[in-house]
């Protein structure tokens, strides 16, 4: 009775019924006494039958049985194996004790069946005893034993898993049940499904015991996808075995191969008839394929290699043909199956160049109306009324274009504008169009119908075609489409039409908040995503965008628009930033500096940067996840997944948040990370560009030297123009620094302590400290330059006198030369005989004069070069001090020019 006391103590400590004198307790106690102490076998069997009946009907009896009954019945199972009927009744009674009856009335009310499961699973010996019963020949003994283990796996899974792992041949005995009679097999299958959900060790042992062969054998025997719930259980067990375990996937691939799996996807019989069970079975197979395409757990180093091998092997087994049949050609298939098949196709080709090429070459339909599979995907995107199907087909294009520049170029090469008549043709007339023509048709169709959703969907596809491919971006920039109304002009760039649709979506939201609410919720973000991807690393796209001045004005207004979502304002801010960092235009008004200046003047740098932070904190960006995640398929979720057709549009219209499936899949984690990288670059470039504006005059040292043949007066005038422009730049810089300081001061005054605590505001604090340091340095330089001001003025005066001395020396030299010329003429007039001596004297005089002149000129040019260098340095310092250099240099050119004028007058007199 020590064992009985132990069980009673456990139950009484929980339920608090030590003094219970209820009829149920006494009745159960009498029955247990008859079973344990009865002399007649028939009386004991009768008592066991009565006990099973009362335990199955009353929660109070279950409670009483848990306090007293387990030792009695376990003793029967151990000691009376020869009495099959008694063993069978004992197992049936235990099953009843572990089966729930109704529901608990209150949240704190203990359920007897759960307590009984806990009591039975506490001892490993109890589990070992039950597993040993599986070797009995009696059918019902094995059947009730499996039911008992299944109940324990549902309510006490961890204890059961740990116990089975410690019991020799525990898993082997369960696997043997899969080859038993149908009822036993089904119970064993269900039990193994529960045991393998999260226990990796059990999963590996089950696979080692030949689970794959037995699973596919049962599926084939039950009729494949046309089978019943047994096929569903087999597929769930199969998924448990290959989920996140690369070694099991390798074993499946190298032993059974993928042919049995692919064969389940083949539609048999009446293919257009899809029952709920058939739908669930197909979803289970598609989930298996997805698990194989994942390659294993993220921590497994062999995951990538295994994933690529699985992708290659599956395509070799023609899984792509079956997926295309389910996802595209079988339009009578349920939406859930079509979407799951499309997702599989997307994962199958993602990052696999060979599979991408195979998909590109696939054609669907029957002769002579066959068309490329990619065209069929695009038609689904543009035509389907199911948001889920649009998302799944869009994922196919994303996967096809990712790391596939050849495929992107092929798609972009088909983008040919259609005539005006075809532009307004119904969407159904696109059967004979190329991919690009159909895409452009979709981009331009929505405006005439007043429906931007088709344009939005086509824009999403175009963003995949352009992503990370500068060649395609530049090609599509050149595309021009005809204006919707002939009177408005002949054509316009495709990019301008996209911006027009973006503005049109904003106006629709302003005019009618309820109408098209769900549609416009994702129209603006998707078009903004297209533009962000288009302008990235593409200066020609930036030039095209800025070629229309209203585009910049609209973006500045959208960034500050409080009626749109934080993600829309943030994406508009990113688009503005791209116009700065990827702008190579040098024309005033559309260059990078002008855009940064417009942002500062219209929005304010601090406010502008806050848009990035608001966007990152928004629900859409904060909850970004990898595209198209889904829950594991099991009995509890299968029915719901099979019955879901699509999102209720009425509910979607009432949504106030950004939690929309189109947004969640389109603006996925990959795009979010791309935007975050852009944001850091935009911050750095904008602050640097604003604090250090472009030089309006190219400062090239060679341009500051006196040009050949340039007079001193012209040279001085050119220097004056240079100094004036430099002064204008300094004044402009001072003005901008004042604005920036005022902006920073306002921000600090509103919430300076909070701003400094924000990690995202680190760049603002760095810039503020830099400004302070620059101000101190400028003050110090100002003091030093004031001290040198007098010295500079004196040096300028000395420079003026040196230039005048140089001019005087030059004039004296010319006068001496002129005097020698006169003497030569006089000598010539003296007679013919003296002519040779006169010429020699003249030549000698010229040579001496030339030597003296060259020596003096060389010395003067050296002095002039030194003075010029000093003038440049002193001019720069005077400009920093704000001095008027013109006044200091006034008159120098005129004085320097006088000798030259006198010389010209002398030449005229001489002539």
């Amino acid at each position: 009775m020590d064992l009985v006391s132990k069980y009673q103590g456990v139950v009484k400590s929980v339920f608090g019924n030590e003094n219970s004198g209820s009829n149920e307790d006494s009745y159960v106690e009498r029955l247990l006494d008859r079973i344990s102490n009865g002399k007649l076998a028939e009386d004991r069997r009768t008592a066991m039958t009565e006990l099973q009946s009362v335990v199955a009907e009353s929660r109070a009896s279950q409670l009483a049985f848990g306090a007293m009954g387990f030792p009695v019945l376990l003793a029967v199972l151990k000691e009376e194996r020869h009495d099959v009927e008694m063993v069978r009744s004992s197992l049936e009674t235990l099953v009843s004790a572990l089966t729930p009856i109704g529901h608990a009335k209150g949240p704190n009310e203990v359920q007897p069946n759960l307590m009984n499961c806990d009591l039975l699973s506490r001892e490993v010996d109890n589990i070992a005893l039950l597993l040993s019963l599986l070797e009995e020949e009696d059918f019902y003994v094995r059947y009730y034993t499996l039911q008992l283990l299944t109940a324990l796996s549902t309510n006490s899974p961890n204890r059961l898993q740990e116990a089975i792992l410690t019991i020799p041949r525990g898993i082997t005995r369960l696997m043997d049940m899969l080859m038993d009679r149908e009822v036993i097999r089904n119970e064993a299958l269900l039990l193994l499904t529960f045991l393998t959900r999260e226990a990796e060790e059990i999963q590996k042992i089950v696979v080692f015991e030949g689970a794959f062969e037995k699973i596919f054998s049962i599926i084939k025997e039950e009729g494949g996808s046309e089978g019943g719930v047994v096929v569903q259980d087999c597929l769930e067990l199969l998924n448990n075995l290959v989920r996140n375990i690369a070694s099991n996937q390798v074993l499946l691939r190298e032993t059974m191969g993928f042919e049995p799996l692919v064969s389940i996807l083949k539609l048999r019989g009446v293919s257009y008839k899809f029952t709920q069970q058939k739908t669930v079975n197909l979803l289970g197979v598609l989930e298996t394929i997805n698990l194989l395409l994942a390659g294993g757990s993220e921590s497994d180093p062999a995951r990538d290699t295994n994933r690529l091998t699985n992708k290659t092997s599956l395509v070799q087994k023609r899984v792509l043909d079956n997926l295309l049949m389910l996802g595209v050609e079988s339009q009578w298939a349920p939406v859930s199956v079509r979407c799951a098949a499309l997702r599989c196709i997307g994962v199958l080709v993602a990052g696999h160049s060979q599979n991408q090429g195979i998909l590109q070459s696939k054609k669907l339909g029957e002769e002579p109306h066959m068309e490329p599979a990619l065209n069929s995907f695009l038609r689904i995107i543009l035509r389907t009324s199911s948001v889920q199907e649009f998302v799944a087909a869009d994922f196919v294009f994303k996967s096809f274009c990712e790391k596939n520049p050849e495929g992107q170029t092929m798609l972009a090469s088909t983008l040919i504008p259609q005539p005006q008549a075809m532009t307004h043709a119904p969407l159904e007339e696109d059967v004979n169009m190329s991919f690009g023509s159909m895409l452009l048709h979709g981009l331009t169709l929505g405006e005439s119908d007043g429906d931007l959703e088709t344009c939005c969907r086509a824009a999403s596809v175009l963003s995949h075609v352009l992503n990370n491919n500068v060649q395609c971006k530049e090609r599509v920039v050149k595309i021009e489409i005809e204006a919707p109304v002939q009177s408005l002009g002949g054509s316009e760039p495709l990019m301008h039409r996209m911006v027009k649709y973006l503005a049109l979506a904003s106006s629709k939201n302003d005019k009618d908040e309820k109408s098209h609410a769900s549609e416009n919720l994702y129209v603006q973000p998707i078009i903004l995503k297209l533009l962000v991807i288009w302008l990235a690393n593409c200066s020609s796209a930036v030039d095209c965008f800025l070629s229309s001045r209203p585009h910049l004005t609209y973006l500045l207004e959208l960034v500050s628009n409080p009626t749109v979502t934080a993600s829309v304002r943030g994406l508009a801010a990113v688009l503005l930033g791209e116009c700065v960092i990827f702008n190579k235009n040098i024309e005033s008004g559309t260059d990078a500096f002008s855009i940064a200046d417009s942002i500062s003047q219209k929005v304010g740098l601090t406010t502008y940067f806050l848009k990035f932070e608001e966007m990152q904190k928004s629900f859409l960006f904060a909850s970004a996840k990898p595209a198209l995640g889904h829950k594991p398929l099991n009995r509890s979720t299968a029915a719901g997944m099979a019955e879901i057709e699509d999102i209720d549009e009425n509910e979607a219209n009432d949504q106030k948040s950004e939690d929309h499936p189109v947004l969640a899949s389109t603006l996925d984690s990959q795009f979010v990370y791309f935007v975050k990288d852009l944001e850091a670059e935009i911050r750095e470039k904008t602050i640097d560009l604003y604090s250090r504006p472009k030089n309006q005059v190219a400062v090239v040292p060679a341009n500051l030297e006196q040009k050949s043949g340039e007079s001193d007066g012209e040279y001085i005038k050119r220097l004056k123009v240079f100094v004036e422009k430099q002064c204008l730049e300094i004044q402009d810089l001072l003005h901008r620094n004042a604005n920036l300081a005022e902006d920073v001061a306002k921000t600090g005054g509103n919430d300076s302590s909070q701003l400094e605590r924000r990690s995202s505001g680190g760049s603002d604090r760095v810039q503020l400290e830099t400004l302070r340091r620059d101000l101190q340095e400028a003050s110090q330089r100002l003091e030093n330059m004031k001290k040198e001001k007098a010295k500079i003025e004196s040096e300028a005066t000395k420079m003026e006198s040196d230039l005048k001395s140089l001019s005087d020396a030059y004039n004296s030299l010319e006068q001496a030369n002129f005097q020698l010329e006169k003497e030569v003429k006089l000598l010539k007039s003296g007679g013919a005989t003296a002519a040779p001596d006169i010429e020699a004297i003249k030549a000698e005089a010229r040579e001496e004069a030339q030597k003296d002149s060259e020596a003096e000129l060389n010395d003067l040019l050296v002095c002039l070069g030194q003075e010029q260098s000093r003038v440049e340095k002193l001019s720069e310092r005077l400009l920093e001090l704000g001095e008027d250099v013109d006044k200091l240099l006034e008159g120098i050119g005129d004085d320097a020019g006088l000798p030259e004028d006198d010389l010209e007058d002398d030449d005229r007199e001489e002539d």
Side-chain angles (χ1 to χ4, degrees):
M1 294 298 296
D2 293 338
L3 187 59
V4 175
S5 301
K6 179 180 178 182
Y7 277 90
Q8 288 176 341
V10 172
V11 177
K12 290 176 181 178
S13 64
V14 176
F15 293 105
N17 62 342
E18 343 183 325
N19 300 321
S20 176
S22 63
N23 296 331
E24 289 83 358
D25 291 351
S26 59
Y27 185 47
V28 169
E29 186 176 2
R30 288 196 302 271
L31 292 174
L32 290 172
D33 182 67
R34 288 169 59 188
I35 294 171
S36 60
N37 300 320
K39 301 301 181 181
L40 297 176
E42 189 64 29
D43 182 57
R44 295 177 67 232
R45 294 190 186 102
T46 303
M48 183 71 75
T49 303
E50 293 178 4
L51 178 63
Q52 188 276 328
S53 177
V54 71
V55 170
E57 296 175 356
S58 170
R59 298 177 73 246
S61 299
Q62 283 185 337
L63 185 62
F65 176 83
M68 300 174 285
F70 281 113
V72 176
L73 268 62
L74 290 174
V76 172
L77 297 178
K78 289 179 183 178
E79 301 169 2
E80 302 183 35
R81 292 285 187 93
H82 59 279
D83 191 341
V84 176
E85 186 177 351
M86 197 68 177
V87 172
R88 183 191 303 171
S89 298
S90 298
L91 291 171
E92 189 176 4
T93 303
L94 289 173
V95 171
S96 299
L98 271 57
T99 303
I101 301 175
H103 300 283
K105 297 181 180 179
N108 297 325
E109 185 175 351
V110 177
Q111 298 186 30
N113 68 296
L114 297 180
M115 179 55 61
N116 292 341
C117 286
D118 180 73
L119 291 174
L120 183 59
S121 61
R122 287 192 176 207
E123 299 292 338
V124 177
D125 292 341
N126 297 340
I127 309 299
L129 175 61
L130 294 176
L131 289 175
S132 67
L133 293 172
L134 294 177
E135 297 179 348
E136 295 293 326
E137 295 182 359
D138 184 74
F139 169 81
Y140 287 101
V141 170
R142 299 196 306 275
Y143 177 71
Y144 289 135
T145 300
L146 287 174
Q147 282 193 327
L148 197 57
L149 291 171
T150 301
L152 291 177
S153 68
T154 304
N155 299 317
S156 301
N158 294 332
R159 286 184 182 176
L160 182 62
Q161 291 168 0
E162 294 172 1
I164 288 179
L165 288 173
T166 60
I167 298 171
R169 297 188 70 252
I171 299 295
T172 304
R173 291 172 183 171
L174 293 177
M175 293 298 297
D176 291 342
M177 296 297 100
L178 292 180
M179 308 307 295
D180 207 320
R181 295 167 60 178
E182 183 176 347
V183 178
I184 300 291
R185 179 201 68 188
N186 296 346
E187 285 294 330
L189 187 61
L190 190 60
L191 174 59
L192 286 170
T193 300
F194 288 137
L195 289 175
T196 55
R197 280 183 179 172
E198 296 180 357
E200 184 174 346
E201 293 184 23
I202 294 180
Q203 293 168 353
K204 292 182 178 180
I205 296 174
V206 168
V207 170
F208 182 75
E209 293 288 342
F212 291 139
E213 294 84 350
K214 295 175 181 178
I215 288 173
F216 285 115
S217 175
I218 296 173
I219 291 176
K220 183 177 181 181
E221 182 181 343
E222 292 292 322
S225 62
E226 302 286 344
V229 70
V230 176
V231 174
Q232 177 184 339
D233 291 337
C234 286
L235 292 172
E236 184 179 350
L237 175 59
L238 177 62
N239 293 338
N240 291 344
L241 299 178
V242 300
R243 181 179 289 110
N244 297 330
I245 305 180
S247 59
N248 287 355
Q249 295 181 8
V250 172
L251 188 61
L252 172 62
R253 185 177 66 240
E254 295 180 353
T255 55
M256 294 289 296
F258 294 147
E259 295 91 340
L261 181 66
V262 176
S263 66
I264 304 174
L265 288 175
K266 295 180 180 179
L267 299 178
R268 300 177 176 85
V270 185
S271 57
Y272 59 84
K273 184 179 181 181
F274 281 81
T275 63
Q276 182 177 9
Q277 187 59 57
K278 181 178 180 179
T279 300
V280 172
N281 292 342
L282 288 173
L283 291 176
V285 180
L286 294 172
E287 182 182 358
T288 307
I289 294 174
N290 265 323
L291 293 172
L292 293 173
L293 295 177
S297 64
E298 295 182 0
S299 59
D300 193 339
R303 178 189 184 189
D304 293 339
T305 303
N306 186 49
R307 176 171 53 203
L308 292 176
T309 306
N310 287 345
K311 288 183 178 182
T312 303
S313 180
L314 282 168
V315 171
Q316 290 175 351
K317 304 304 178 184
R318 305 185 66 83
V319 71
L320 187 57
D321 295 334
N322 292 280
L323 293 174
L324 289 171
M325 173 63 71
L326 283 175
V328 181
E329 296 184 277
S330 298
Q331 289 303 308
W332 54 83
V335 173
S336 56
V337 173
R338 298 203 305 267
C339 292
L342 290 172
R343 284 194 293 266
C344 283
I345 294 172
V347 179
L348 192 65
V349 303
H352 199 291
S353 58
Q354 182 180 355
N355 290 354
Q356 289 170 342
I358 294 174
L359 178 62
Q360 179 178 331
S361 63
K362 287 290 182 182
K363 292 183 179 295
L364 304 180
E366 298 179 357
E367 294 288 355
H369 302 293
M370 298 184 71
E371 68 171 358
L374 293 175
N375 288 30
S376 300
F377 294 138
L378 181 59
R379 182 171 292 105
I380 291 174
I381 290 176
L382 299 179
R383 289 186 181 182
T384 182
S385 59
S386 167
V387 174
Q388 289 181 333
E389 193 171 13
F390 153 57
V391 170
D394 184 73
F395 177 68
V396 174
F397 274 106
K398 177 180 181 296
S399 302
F400 174 79
C401 294
E402 188 174 351
K403 298 179 182 179
N404 184 17
E406 294 81 7
Q408 289 175 303
T409 303
M410 182 276 298
L411 295 178
S413 66
T414 64
L415 291 170
I416 303 174
Q418 296 295 303
Q420 184 70 18
M422 288 299 298
T423 301
H424 295 282
L427 193 61
E428 289 72 14
E429 296 184 10
D430 60 3
V431 178
N432 298 322
M433 291 185 182
S434 66
F435 173 86
S437 299
M438 193 190 312
L439 182 59
L440 290 175
H441 188 203
L443 287 170
T444 57
L445 180 67
E447 182 187 10
S448 60
D449 297 340
D451 177 15
L452 293 177
E453 184 169 359
T454 302
C455 305
C456 163
R457 294 181 178 187
S460 181
V461 176
L462 182 59
S463 67
H464 302 318
V465 176
L466 302 182
N467 192 25
N468 293 324
N469 194 318
V470 177
Q471 181 181 358
C472 289
K473 294 177 184 179
E474 293 177 347
R475 181 168 192 160
V476 179
V477 163
K478 301 175 183 178
I479 294 178
E480 293 188 349
I481 53 180
E482 294 187 17
V485 181
Q486 290 292 340
S487 60
L488 297 179
S491 61
E492 64 177 331
L494 177 61
M495 179 181 289
H496 290 194
R497 182 67 64 87
M498 293 297 99
V499 180
K500 179 180 179 181
Y501 291 155
L502 181 64
L504 188 59
S506 298
S507 64
K508 283 191 174 186
N509 282 336
D510 295 338
K511 292 179 180 179
D512 191 350
E513 296 182 357
K514 294 183 179 180
S515 177
H516 305 288
S518 175
E519 167 196 321
N520 291 332
L521 184 64
Y522 57 83
V523 167
Q524 286 182 295
I526 289 182
I527 295 179
L528 282 170
K529 175 189 176 182
L530 167 63
L531 296 174
V532 167
I533 289 176
W534 201 341
L535 267 61
N537 297 302
C538 185
S539 58
S540 58
V542 174
D543 293 342
C544 179
F545 181 83
L546 295 175
S547 62
S548 177
R549 185 66 183 178
H551 291 175
L552 180 60
T553 304
Y554 170 70
L555 268 190
L556 291 169
E557 293 175 354
L558 189 60
V559 168
S560 304
N561 190 348
T563 62
V564 298
T565 61
S567 58
V568 170
R569 291 194 298 269
L571 290 174
V574 172
L575 196 59
L576 272 176
E578 287 183 318
C579 293
V580 174
I581 62 177
F582 302 123
N583 192 333
K584 296 182 180 179
N585 200 335
I586 59 174
E587 297 181 5
S588 178
T590 58
D591 59 330
F593 176 75
S594 299
I595 305 302
D597 184 48
S598 299
I599 295 173
S600 175
Q601 298 295 327
K602 302 294 185 181
V603 181
L605 290 184
T606 304
T607 304
Y608 173 68
F609 292 143
L610 284 177
K611 303 304 177 185
F612 293 132
E613 299 172 17
E614 293 174 1
M615 175 181 64
Q616 298 297 347
K617 292 178 181 179
S618 67
F619 175 84
L620 183 61
F621 278 73
S623 61
K625 299 177 182 178
L628 299 173
H630 58 279
K631 298 179 180 180
L633 184 69
N634 52 51
R635 279 198 175 189
S636 60
T637 61
M641 294 179 66
E643 291 174 357
I644 292 178
E645 288 294 316
D646 196 22
I647 299 169
D648 189 344
E649 291 297 331
N650 294 327
E651 294 180 1
N653 288 339
D654 295 334
Q655 289 179 342
K656 300 297 183 181
S657 67
E658 298 175 329
D659 186 12
H660 195 284
V662 175
L663 289 176
S665 61
T666 305
L667 305 184
D668 56 8
S669 58
Q670 183 177 354
F671 180 72
V672 169
Y673 295 146
F674 169 71
V675 169
K676 286 183 178 179
D677 293 339
L678 271 181
E679 175 190 339
E681 188 176 354
I682 290 170
R683 284 177 180 268
E684 180 180 358
K685 181 65 178 291
T686 304
I687 292 176
D688 181 71
L689 197 63
Y690 184 80
S691 59
R692 299 178 183 178
K694 69 168 188 176
N695 291 326
Q696 296 177 356
V697 178
V699 182
V700 182
N703 290 346
L704 297 180
E705 298 178 0
Q706 189 170 10
K707 298 179 181 180
S708 176
E710 184 179 26
S711 66
D712 292 340
E714 293 175 349
Y715 178 51
I716 294 297
K717 289 180 180 179
R718 187 160 59 84
L719 289 179
K720 287 172 65 176
V721 172
F722 170 76
V723 170
E724 289 176 358
K725 292 183 178 180
Q726 291 292 317
C727 289
L728 291 175
E729 284 194 13
I730 291 174
Q731 293 175 1
D732 186 58
L733 177 60
L734 292 174
H735 175 67
R736 298 183 186 283
N737 284 341
N739 290 340
L740 182 60
E742 181 181 357
D743 197 10
V744 172
K746 288 180 179 179
T747 305
N750 292 334
D751 196 357
S752 58
S753 61
Q754 182 180 0
L755 180 61
E756 292 182 359
R757 288 196 301 268
R758 292 169 64 174
S759 58
S760 59
S763 60
D764 293 339
R765 294 197 301 274
V766 171
Q767 293 301 317
L768 182 59
E769 292 299 327
T770 303
L771 287 174
R772 290 175 179 171
R773 186 170 58 254
D774 292 344
L775 183 59
Q776 293 176 355
E777 293 176 358
S779 300
Q780 185 64 33
R781 287 197 303 269
L782 180 62
E783 293 296 331
N784 295 335
M785 289 181 178
K786 283 182 179 179
K787 295 177 181 179
E788 296 178 4
K789 181 179 179 180
K791 182 179 178 182
I792 294 172
E793 292 177 351
S794 63
E795 289 179 351
T797 304
K798 182 179 179 182
M799 180 184 66
E800 181 180 354
S801 62
D802 289 342
L803 288 174
K804 186 174 182 181
S805 298
L806 178 63
S807 298
D808 293 341
Y810 186 78
N811 291 335
S812 298
L813 189 61
E814 289 294 331
Q815 290 177 0
N817 189 30
F818 179 70
Q819 187 65 31
L820 288 174
E821 290 286 346
K822 285 186 177 181
E823 292 179 0
V824 170
K825 289 181 180 179
L826 291 174
L827 289 174
K828 283 184 178 181
S829 62
T833 55
D837 295 335
I838 292 171
E839 291 296 330
I841 293 171
K842 181 178 179 182
E844 183 178 355
R846 285 184 175 178
E847 185 176 354
E848 289 182 6
Q850 186 173 2
K851 287 181 180 180
D852 295 339
S853 174
E854 288 180 355
E856 283 193 44
L857 281 174
N858 288 335
D859 294 339
L860 289 173
L861 288 174
V862 171
C863 294
L864 181 60
Q866 294 175 349
E867 292 299 327
Q868 180 59 41
S869 177
R870 296 174 66 186
V871 167
E872 293 174 4
K873 294 180 179 179
L874 294 174
S875 298
E876 292 177 358
R877 292 184 177 180
L878 285 172
L879 289 173
E880 293 178 358
L881 294 172
E883 294 293 336
D884 193 346
V885 183
D886 297 343
K887 292 183 179 179
L888 294 176
L889 298 179
E890 187 176 2
I892 295 177
D894 298 337
D895 295 339
L898 288 175
E900 185 178 358
D901 296 340
D902 295 339
L903 187 61
E904 291 176 356
D905 295 336
D906 293 340
D907 292 339
R908 283 194 297 271
E909 291 176 0
E910 189 175 318
D911 293 339

